[in-house]
């Protein structure tokens, strides 16, 4: 997919695609297992719910690219579903492990507000999803949606928590906030430059 003058890049659907079905199933499954984990007080089940979420998130993206079914609607659905999973699972994690409350607060505010705005910014340009933001600005893409950034932004925090390193998790979460703030400022400059603000 290229940047400009592509009807596919500005077409919304179709909505009934394999990747969207995977997104729906992984969201329902992860949230359901997360709620069961919370009700039963099981940290192990909470870990399973995170696994469902992450594996499903990788699988829906892979299926979209592999089957040629990437759509803007699918990208937005994926972004919204990620927030639903993260919100429920993070609140569940805090209930089970109260010591992570401060880390969760910083992470959730960053992910649910800053990252949501950044992730939806692709809609201001004719690209299919944030995965193609490198066509708009390579630095913003590299810091937010490159494979390394995706792993570091979420797994870095959750990984540090899993090893009981709450201060490290907080440091990673604060670093992510700094990156997101810089990225938001960069996107605002891009919007102003392109006359889209």
């Amino acid at each position: 997919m290229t940047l400009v003058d592509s009807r596919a890049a500005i077409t919304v659907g179709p909505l009934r695609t394999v990747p969207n079905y995977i997104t729906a199933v992984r969201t329902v499954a992860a949230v359901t297992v997360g709620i069961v984990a919370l009700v039963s007080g099981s940290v192990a089940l909470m870990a399973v719910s995170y696994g469902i979420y992450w594996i499903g998130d990788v699988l829906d993206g892979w299926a979209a690219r592999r089957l040629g079914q990437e759509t803007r609607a699918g990208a937005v659905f994926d972004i919204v579903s990620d927030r639903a999973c993260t919100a429920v699972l993070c609140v569940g994690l805090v209930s089970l492990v109260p010591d992570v409350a401060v880390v969760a607060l910083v992470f959730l505010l960053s992910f649910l507000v800053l990252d949501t705005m950044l992730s939806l910014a692709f809609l201001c340009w004719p690209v299919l999803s944030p995965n193609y933001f490198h066509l708009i600005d390579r630095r913003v893409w590299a810091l937010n949606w490159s494979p390394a950034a995706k792993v570091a932004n979420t797994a870095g925090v959750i990984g540090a928590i899993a090893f009981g390193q709450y201060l490290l998790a907080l440091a990673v979460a604060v670093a992510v906030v700094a990156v997101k703030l810089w990225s938001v400022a960069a996107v605002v400059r891009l919007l102003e430059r392109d006359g889209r603000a």
Side-chain angles (χ1 to χ4, degrees), residues 3-190:
L3 174 60
V4 182
D5 200 36
S6 173
R7 281 198 123 137
I10 56 174
T11 301
V12 172
L15 296 174
R16 293 181 184 150
T17 63
V18 170
N20 286 351
Y21 291 132
I22 293 170
T23 300
V25 169
R26 63 104 166 160
T27 302
V28 170
V31 168
T32 300
V33 173
I35 290 171
V36 170
L38 179 59
V39 170
S40 65
S42 172
V43 175
L45 267 181
M46 188 59 68
V48 169
S49 65
Y50 269 104
I52 292 168
Y53 161 39
W54 286 334
I55 291 169
D57 196 26
V58 168
L59 187 59
D60 62 18
W62 176 84
R65 289 182 295 280
R66 180 79 175 173
L67 299 173
Q69 295 181 348
E70 292 180 279
T71 65
R72 287 164 67 89
V76 171
F77 184 39
D78 182 71
I79 290 165
V80 170
S81 295
D82 287 349
R83 273 76 194 154
C85 289
T86 297
V88 170
L89 300 183
C90 198
V91 168
L93 184 62
V94 169
S95 296
L96 295 172
V97 186
D99 290 344
V100 302
V102 173
V103 177
L105 177 66
V106 172
F107 179 77
L108 275 178
L109 288 174
S110 171
F111 193 68
L112 297 179
V113 179
L114 294 172
D115 192 70
T116 299
M117 291 304 296
L118 281 169
S119 294
L120 292 174
F122 83 93
L123 294 168
C124 296
W125 289 274
V127 292
L128 278 172
S129 73
N131 293 328
Y132 293 93
F133 208 82
H134 60 89
L135 297 169
I136 309 301
D137 186 284
R138 190 148 193 86
R139 292 173 305 162
V140 172
W141 172 82
L143 290 169
N144 294 280
W145 304 292
S146 66
K150 287 180 178 182
V151 170
N153 288 345
T154 301
V157 174
I158 299 299
I161 288 171
F163 287 104
Q165 301 297 315
Y166 303 146
L167 284 177
L168 176 59
L170 182 58
V172 172
V174 169
V176 168
V177 168
V179 167
K180 299 298 178 188
L181 287 171
W182 179 88
S183 298
V184 166
V187 168
V188 168
R189 286 191 299 274
L190 289 168

